[in-house]
Amino acid sequence: MTQADPSNVFDYIIVGAGSAGCVLANRLSEDGTSTVLLVEGGGSDRHLFMAMPSALALAMNIKRANWNYMSEPEPGLDGRRVTCPRGKVVGGSSSINGMVYIRGNPLDFEGWEDAGARGWAYRDVLPYFRKAETREEGGDGYRGHDGPLHTSYGPLENPLYRAFIEAGREAGYPVTEDVNGAQQEGFGRMDRTVHKGRRWSAARAYLDGARTRKNLTIWTETLVEAVTFEGRRATGIRCRRNGASTLPQARQEVILAGGAINSPQLLKLSGVGPAAELARHGIPLVADRPGVGANLTDHLEIYFQMAATTPITLFSSMNMPAKAKIGAEWLLTRRGLGATNHFESCAFIRSRAGIRWPDLQYHFLPAAISYNGKELADQHGFQAHVGPMRSKSRGSVTLRSADPREAPAIRFNYMSHPDDWTEMRAAVRLTREIFAQPAFAPYRGDEIEPGLSVQTDAEIDGFIKAKVESAYHPCSTCRMGDAADPMAVVDRDTRVIGVDNLRVADASIMPTITTGNLNAPTIMLAEKAADHIRDRPRLPASNAPFYDAPQWQVSQR
């Protein structure tokens, strides 16, 4: 039986305590007077595997902390279903991800403005990236020095990390001092959300210092079933907590921050979405917004693996005695192999001439292993995760039923655009060239995957269909744009178009996917959205210049 509790009235209700929700909860409650309710479907993030950086694969496999979504059969991948993990825990995906901090390319955000998100160009978002961050090596015109989110570089102790960077230089690519600074393009060090040997999730960064505020209430293990409306005005939410249904109310606004899968699902369950789809499930229509759940975008990647001729890779650390030693050192000192996520060098390159900014990303790893840790090569090896950054394929998130407990149907439509195949084939061939450089000569053995027998377009395509995996970067299912755009879901102030007192502020509103991992831009987005919600003056725009490849029309590098 539903019980309306008049004491459950807050100024703001935030749905989802993930990367965006943690930021919003902190910023909206920091005045000490606005009352905020933060609602999370999962539970506590207090778990050893979520604190230890090198345990990232173990963290992702904690069942209670992961929604464990799967895609529908993907026609472009011969009907394969692809995993789509999403954090179901305080901190959201930032509590179970790979801890990579990549902001995106400045030209991504220029594209956001061109797509109708005025006020979200690079000059506008850079101040919010800086506001969020404390960079271990110090701030500058691009990097922050006093924000709650700590970032750091790995120690690069394994020589393979520097070999990767040097191989890029030998192949004719630039080496960049800071992929999150003025020049993303090139080979360089990888930033991580690791601080003093621990995962520095959005929960660590934004909630730890705010939990004791009297005006912030946090409900965990609470399933939000719908946003409640009076006419077109959002009034609160209906949720199930401790076995009972309750109706907390919002004086000012409800803000959805559940991410690219859960936010469009909840909007539809609440009557905001494509009218025909809602009618099929008997959901009363509040606002016909055909863009809700459309435009699903993601990054795909392959693992290009090489055998190593010297025993310097992480293969030596995969046996139980070695793991026990690493764990003990980390527990006692927060140092050693347990204190890194092992992604310490990276690269961003262009796949061909005529591409203005990088469309391929590399994560380098001194081991031959799958991201989830379940598939390990039987020998010493190293690998690059590589994949295209701006796929033209688009998918959708649709309801299976009106039951909020039932996972939505997720269709990415991977590899459904011919350009995706062109970019993926280039990724294979360019990576093969990089690993053939002299820098790898002391370590390079045979090619494990794809294998030297994979050479023609058809052979590469077969490898891709069988082996490509998601990089776990779904976004853009509630796209931000001009209010007159029928496919836009939120306006430039993150307000849901067609209703009142309802916003979405998470990766689902990105107009287009960014060049790199999504955690950093999601945190930035929430920092900026908080000022929009509070109607505060925006941070002054930056005039910091950024790199634009001078010969991109005619040169690949």
Side-chain angles (χ1 to χ4, degrees):
M1 179 177 176
T2 299
Q3 180 180 358
D5 185 350
S7 68
N8 283 348
V9 180
F10 305 86
D11 290 315
Y12 300 103
I13 297 176
I14 303 165
V15 180
S19 297
C22 289
V23 176
L24 293 165
N26 182 306
R27 297 307 188 192
L28 298 183
S29 66
E30 66 184 351
D31 63 6
T33 58
S34 298
T35 55
V36 177
L37 172 63
L38 177 63
V39 184
E40 167 57 40
S44 170
D45 62 330
R46 305 300 184 182
H47 193 291
L48 179 66
F49 294 160
M50 292 186 212
M52 184 180 183
S54 69
L56 59 95
L58 298 174
M60 193 175 71
N61 287 308
I62 300 171
K63 289 187 178 180
R64 70 163 179 84
N66 192 336
W67 288 97
N68 289 302
Y69 293 128
M70 292 287 293
S71 78
E72 297 299 290
E74 290 288 339
L77 304 182
D78 287 342
R80 234 183 351 123
R81 300 183 72 194
V82 178
T83 58
C84 180
R86 295 287 86 201
K88 184 184 179 184
V89 62
V90 173
S93 295
S94 76
S95 291
I96 63 170
N97 69 1
M99 292 154 282
V100 171
Y101 180 83
I102 294 292
R103 293 176 172 182
N105 191 282
L107 287 165
D108 294 332
F109 305 105
E110 300 298 284
W112 283 16
E113 185 165 65
D114 292 343
R118 293 185 302 279
W120 291 82
Y122 185 63
R123 62 185 177 275
D124 304 305
V125 302
L126 179 55
Y128 288 95
F129 277 119
R130 295 183 70 247
K131 178 183 180 180
E133 183 189 21
T134 290
R135 184 195 191 202
E136 187 175 72
E137 291 189 357
D140 56 26
Y142 300 90
R143 306 301 295 270
H145 63 89
D146 59 358
L149 185 69
H150 286 271
T151 66
S152 63
Y153 293 115
L156 301 179
E157 291 176 351
N158 191 305
L160 289 167
Y161 291 121
R162 296 189 185 276
F164 180 69
I165 297 171
E166 177 61 16
R169 187 192 65 76
E170 292 171 341
Y173 297 101
V175 172
T176 177
E177 181 61 29
D178 184 3
V179 296
N180 286 310
Q183 181 174 334
Q184 183 192 55
E185 183 165 345
F187 284 64
R189 298 179 294 172
M190 179 80 90
D191 289 275
R192 315 161 305 157
T193 49
V194 174
H195 180 51
K196 295 184 177 179
R198 295 184 66 218
R199 175 192 292 271
W200 205 253
S201 66
R204 294 283 75 68
Y206 287 91
L207 278 192
D208 276 4
R211 290 175 189 269
T212 58
R213 293 175 186 167
K214 293 181 180 179
N215 60 321
L216 175 61
T217 302
I218 302 172
W219 290 356
T220 57
E221 298 180 350
T222 300
L223 177 66
V224 179
E225 299 175 329
V227 177
T228 56
F229 286 92
E230 290 181 1
R232 287 178 174 258
R233 182 174 67 88
T235 59
I237 59 173
R238 184 179 75 245
C239 58
R240 182 158 291 277
R241 182 170 183 255
N242 297 328
S245 186
T246 185
L247 294 164
Q249 300 170 41
R251 295 186 191 92
Q252 296 194 44
E253 291 186 310
V254 177
I255 305 144
L256 306 190
I261 308 301
N262 290 8
S263 285
Q265 178 191 24
L266 183 56
L267 281 175
K268 291 180 178 184
L269 292 170
S270 307
V272 180
E277 180 183 348
L278 303 191
R280 285 198 302 272
H281 298 293
I283 299 171
L285 183 68
V286 175
D288 182 9
R289 300 306 308 174
V292 176
N295 200 49
L296 176 62
T297 315
D298 192 18
H299 288 145
L300 282 176
E301 61 185 13
I302 57 169
Y303 307 150
F304 197 110
Q305 299 179 336
M306 300 291 298
T309 57
T310 56
I312 60 171
T313 76
L314 296 176
F315 185 73
S316 300
S317 304
M318 295 300 177
N319 58 75
M320 287 310 298
K323 288 181 178 180
K325 183 179 178 181
I326 291 167
E329 181 183 11
W330 181 82
L331 285 169
L332 292 171
T333 68
R334 296 294 189 265
R335 297 180 183 275
L337 286 177
T340 180
N341 64 346
H342 305 296
F343 295 119
E344 297 184 13
S345 59
C346 65
F348 292 89
I349 67 172
R350 291 173 288 116
S351 64
R352 61 190 185 275
I355 303 296
R356 186 176 175 187
W357 71 99
D359 62 338
L360 295 179
Q361 178 184 13
Y362 287 91
H363 300 67
F364 180 78
L365 187 67
I369 190 172
S370 63
Y371 184 96
N372 62 15
K374 293 181 178 179
E375 296 178 25
L376 172 68
D378 60 358
Q379 60 186 306
H380 280 277
F382 50 90
Q383 70 188 34
H385 300 200
V386 57
M389 291 289 95
R390 293 184 295 281
S391 167
K392 296 182 178 67
S393 298
R394 294 293 181 269
S396 62
V397 176
T398 57
L399 296 179
R400 297 183 192 275
S401 73
D403 185 349
R405 296 168 298 180
E406 187 169 12
I410 303 168
R411 297 176 176 86
F412 287 100
N413 292 325
Y414 289 128
M415 306 301 295
S416 58
H417 194 284
D419 286 358
D420 296 346
W421 294 100
T422 300
E423 291 160 358
M424 274 290 187
R425 293 172 197 141
V428 170
R429 292 180 170 124
L430 292 170
T431 306
R432 189 169 274 155
E433 179 191 14
I434 291 164
F435 280 150
Q437 296 302 312
F440 278 112
Y443 319 109
R444 183 177 53 241
D446 295 334
E447 185 178 304
I448 301 172
E449 283 196 347
L452 288 178
S453 62
V454 177
Q455 295 289 339
T456 67
D457 284 359
E459 290 164 347
I460 292 173
D461 291 352
F463 168 73
I464 291 165
K465 287 179 181 180
K467 295 291 188 176
V468 75
E469 295 290 346
S470 171
Y472 312 141
H473 300 159
C475 65
S476 302
T477 48
C478 299
R479 181 172 62 81
M480 176 166 49
D482 191 283
D485 181 350
M487 292 303 290
V489 176
V490 302
D491 65 15
R492 61 183 179 180
D493 290 309
T494 74
R495 298 173 297 201
V496 177
I497 301 165
V499 298
D500 298 320
N501 298 2
L502 179 62
R503 300 193 197 230
V504 183
D506 57 30
S508 72
I509 74 169
M510 293 181 179
T512 54
I513 197 165
T514 55
T515 305
N517 312 68
L518 296 194
N519 185 242
T522 299
I523 288 172
M524 173 281 294
L525 188 155
E527 282 276 19
K528 190 171 187 293
D531 277 355
H532 290 253
I533 293 165
R534 295 184 297 179
D535 197 24
R536 291 182 54 163
R538 314 299 180 252
L539 295 179
S542 170
N543 61 1
F546 56 83
Y547 180 78
D548 202 354
Q551 301 294 321
W552 65 267
Q553 296 97 333
V554 296
S555 176
Q556 183 259 333
R557 67 189 89 172

